[in-house]
Amino acid sequence: MTRAPYHHGNLREALVEAGVEVVRDGGPEALSLRELARRVGVSHAAAYRHFADREALVDAVAERAMHALLAVVHDRLAQVDEVDPVIRARRRLVQIGVGYVDFALTEPGLFRLLFTAYPEPPEGKDPDGEDPYSMLNAALDELVAVGYLDPRDRPGADVTCWSAVHGFSVLNVEGPLRGMAEPDRDAALTGLLLGIDRGLGRRGEWPALSR
Amino acid sequence: MTRAPYHHGNLREALVEAGVEVVRDGGPEALSLRELARRVGVSHAAAYRHFADREALVDAVAERAMHALLAVVHDRLAQVDEVDPVIRARRRLVQIGVGYVDFALTEPGLFRLLFTAYPEPPEGKDPDGEDPYSMLNAALDELVAVGYLDPRDRPGADVTCWSAVHGFSVLNVEGPLRGMAEPDRDAALTGLLLGIDRGLGRRGEWPALSR
DNA sequence: GGCAGAATGTGACCGCTGTCAACATCGTCT
DNA sequence: AGACGATGTTGACAGCGGTCACATTCTGCC
C-alpha cells in the first residue's frame, strides 16, 4: 500500500484548485495560504516552492475565476440566434451584460476575487486574445458596423457599458443592493440593459428592444 | 506639568479619527486595531472598551467616510444655478454623478472602505434622512416632475444610474481602469453621464446636454 | 548501477494581527 | 470615606504570512 509520499507530485495545481474551492464559499478573505496547505495535506511552507507569496497564489486562483467568467459570457453570446443584423448585434451586447451579472451572482466569491486581486488586474490581459473586455469592444464595433451606434459615440461607449454592468454586479454582490428580491433584481437588470441599448442608439431612430 | 493621564478622555473619538487618517493613505487593509492604538498612544487592548471588535471600529470609520461622500455630493448639487427647470433637473442628476466619482478618485481609501465594510452596508441607512441614494431618487423624481423622464421608466432608473456611476468609480479606483490618463477618464465620465441623461429622456424629444 | 545536484517538502522560528482575561487606576455617587 | 463602575494596562493565546536550515526524493549524467 502506498502511504502519502514525500513529494506531492502536483502541488501547485492542487493548491490552486483548493483555492478555487475555498474562494467559492468564503470569498477572497477566506483564502489563506495555510488553509490551502492544510486541505492539500502539506506543510504551509511547501506552498512557497510554487508561489513567491500569497499574492501570487491569489493571482493564480484569480486567473481561474477569469476563465470561468469568460466561459459564462461566451456561452450567453453563443445563444443569440437572431438573424436580423441590427437586432442581433444589440442582443449580443445585452447578452454580454446578462452573462457578466449572472456570473457575479452565481459565483460571488470568485467574482469578488477577480476585482480584489489588487496589484495587477487580471482583466483584459488574457493572452488567448479573448477576454470579456475584448468581447465587449467587438460587440460595440459590430453595433457601429450595422449602423445602430453612431461612430462618434463609439469612444467611451465601452467604458460606459462596462461601468454600468460592473456597478450593478458589485452593488448586488457585495454592496447595498444585495438582499434584493430576485424579481426586482431581474427587472432592474432588464431596465439597465435596455437603458444602455436605448442610450447607444442614434436618437430615436430605432424601435425598442423587446427583451 | 500634566503627564499622560491614565484615562485618555476621548479615546473613541481619537481612534476613529486616527482610523480615517490611516484609511486615507493606505486603504481599508491598513486599518489595524493595534496600529490605531499605537497612534493614539494607548495600549492595544484599550480599544475594546469602545468597540466590540475590529468590525465595529471599521463601521465607525465607514460612517465618517459616508458623511464625507455626502458632503461632496451635496456641494456639487448646490453649485447648479440653472433656472430652466428641465435643464436644471438634468444638470443636478449629472452633478450627483460627478460628485460621487470625484469623491471616489480623490479619496480612494475612504471610498473603498465604504464598500468593504461588509456585513452591514452603510449606504442608505443614514437616519438624518439625507444620503446619496435618497438624493439620487429625489433628482429622478424631479426629472419626472418636469416631464423629462417618462414615469414608466422611473422604476429601476435609480439602480441604473447608481450602477453606472458606482461601476465607473470602482473600475477607476481599484479596477482595471485605474491608471487611465486623466483627460481620457474625464472624457469617459462625460460620455457616461451624458449617455445616462440621454438614455433617460423620452425618446428623441429633448436636445442633448452641452456639458 | 551509482552518484551528484536540483526539486520539493518539513519544522522551527519571527513579527504581525485580533481577541480575551486578570489586574490597575480613576471618577463619581452615596 | 468608601464602594463601584468605567476605563486603561499587561500578558497571554491562536492564527496569519514569511524565511530559514534541514530532510527527502527525483533526475540526469558518468
Side-chain angles (χ1 to χ4, degrees):
Chain A
M1 53 178 296
T2 59
R3 280 195 13 273
Y6 191 85
H7 283 129
H8 181 283
N10 201 12
L11 189 66
R12 182 188 169 98
E13 185 60 19
L15 285 173
V16 174
E17 267 172 27
V20 170
E21 222 47 46
V22 166
V23 170
R24 239 182 175 146
D25 43 48
E29 57 273 2
L31 193 52
S32 139
L33 216 57
R34 289 173 119 99
E35 165 69 16
L36 296 193
R38 234 172 281 131
R39 291 202 174 210
V40 175
V42 100
S43 91
H44 71 273
Y48 287 90
R49 298 287 170 200
H50 302 272
F51 300 96
D53 52 13
R54 188 198 122 103
E55 188 56 36
L57 206 170
V58 169
D59 285 352
V61 177
E63 197 174 326
R64 297 293 177 94
M66 185 65 204
H67 277 92
L69 165 59
L70 194 86
V72 171
V73 173
H74 195 90
D75 209 55
R76 289 276 179 175
L77 219 36
Q79 286 175 19
V80 177
D81 57 354
E82 174 68 41
V83 289
D84 176 281
V86 175
I87 305 284
R88 174 184 172 83
R90 293 165 69 188
R91 280 247 138 83
R92 281 174 65 89
L93 181 68
V94 168
Q95 285 306 307
I96 291 178
V98 171
Y100 196 95
V101 173
D102 183 47
F103 177 78
L105 291 175
T106 57
E107 292 286 6
L110 295 180
F111 179 78
R112 283 172 51 220
L113 176 69
L114 263 185
F115 295 89
T116 297
Y118 204 71
E120 282 311 310
E123 191 93 23
K125 296 184 63 185
D126 214 66
D128 311 5
E130 223 185 19
D131 61 288
Y133 185 52
S134 304
M135 293 166 85
L136 170 61
N137 274 308
L140 288 171
D141 288 341
E142 205 182 335
L143 278 177
V144 173
V146 298
Y148 183 77
L149 173 60
D150 190 322
R152 288 170 301 173
D153 293 334
R154 175 60 183 85
D158 47 355
V159 173
T160 297
C161 292
W162 194 4
S163 293
V165 169
H166 184 70
F168 185 88
S169 302
V170 169
L171 290 176
N172 276 280
V173 165
E174 58 178 353
L177 258 41
R178 77 170 170 282
M180 201 171 170
E182 193 166 326
D184 294 350
R185 177 154 43 215
D186 283 354
L189 177 58
T190 301
L192 176 96
L193 294 174
L194 295 190
I196 290 178
D197 174 75
R198 175 164 30 148
L200 289 179
R202 294 169 192 265
R203 34 189 57 249
E205 290 181 22
W206 303 92
L209 215 50
S210 63
R211 161 68 163 174
Chain B
M1 54 175 295
T2 59
R3 279 192 19 268
Y6 191 86
H7 283 127
H8 181 283
N10 201 10
L11 217 172
R12 183 187 168 97
E13 185 60 20
L15 285 173
V16 174
E17 267 174 26
V20 170
E21 222 48 46
V22 166
V23 171
R24 238 182 177 147
D25 44 50
E29 57 274 2
L31 194 52
S32 139
L33 220 52
R34 288 174 118 101
E35 166 69 14
L36 295 193
R38 237 173 277 132
R39 291 201 174 211
V40 175
V42 99
S43 90
H44 65 271
Y48 283 89
R49 298 293 167 196
H50 302 272
F51 300 96
D53 52 12
R54 188 198 122 103
E55 187 56 35
L57 206 170
V58 169
D59 284 353
V61 177
E63 197 173 326
R64 297 295 177 93
M66 185 64 203
H67 277 93
L69 166 59
L70 195 85
V72 171
V73 173
H74 195 90
D75 209 56
R76 289 277 180 174
L77 219 36
Q79 286 176 19
V80 177
D81 58 354
E82 174 69 39
V83 287
D84 177 281
V86 175
I87 305 283
R88 175 184 171 81
R90 292 165 68 190
R91 280 249 139 82
R92 281 174 64 87
L93 181 69
V94 168
Q95 284 307 306
I96 290 177
V98 172
Y100 195 96
V101 172
D102 183 48
F103 177 78
L105 291 175
T106 58
E107 292 285 5
L110 295 179
F111 179 78
R112 282 172 51 220
L113 176 69
L114 263 184
F115 296 89
T116 298
Y118 204 71
E120 282 312 308
E123 192 93 20
K125 296 183 63 185
D126 214 65
D128 313 4
E130 224 186 16
D131 61 286
Y133 186 52
S134 304
M135 295 167 84
L136 170 60
N137 274 309
L140 288 171
D141 288 341
E142 207 183 332
L143 279 178
V144 173
V146 299
Y148 183 77
L149 173 60
D150 190 322
R152 291 170 299 174
D153 293 334
R154 175 61 183 82
D158 47 355
V159 172
T160 297
C161 292
W162 195 4
S163 293
V165 170
H166 184 71
F168 186 87
S169 301
V170 169
L171 290 176
N172 276 281
V173 166
E174 58 178 350
L177 256 43
R178 76 172 171 283
M180 200 172 170
E182 193 167 326
D184 295 349
R185 176 152 47 211
D186 284 354
L189 177 57
T190 300
L192 177 97
L193 294 174
L194 295 190
I196 290 178
D197 174 75
R198 171 159 39 143
L200 289 179
R202 295 169 192 265
R203 39 188 56 250
E205 291 181 20
W206 302 94
L209 215 49
S210 63
R211 163 68 164 173

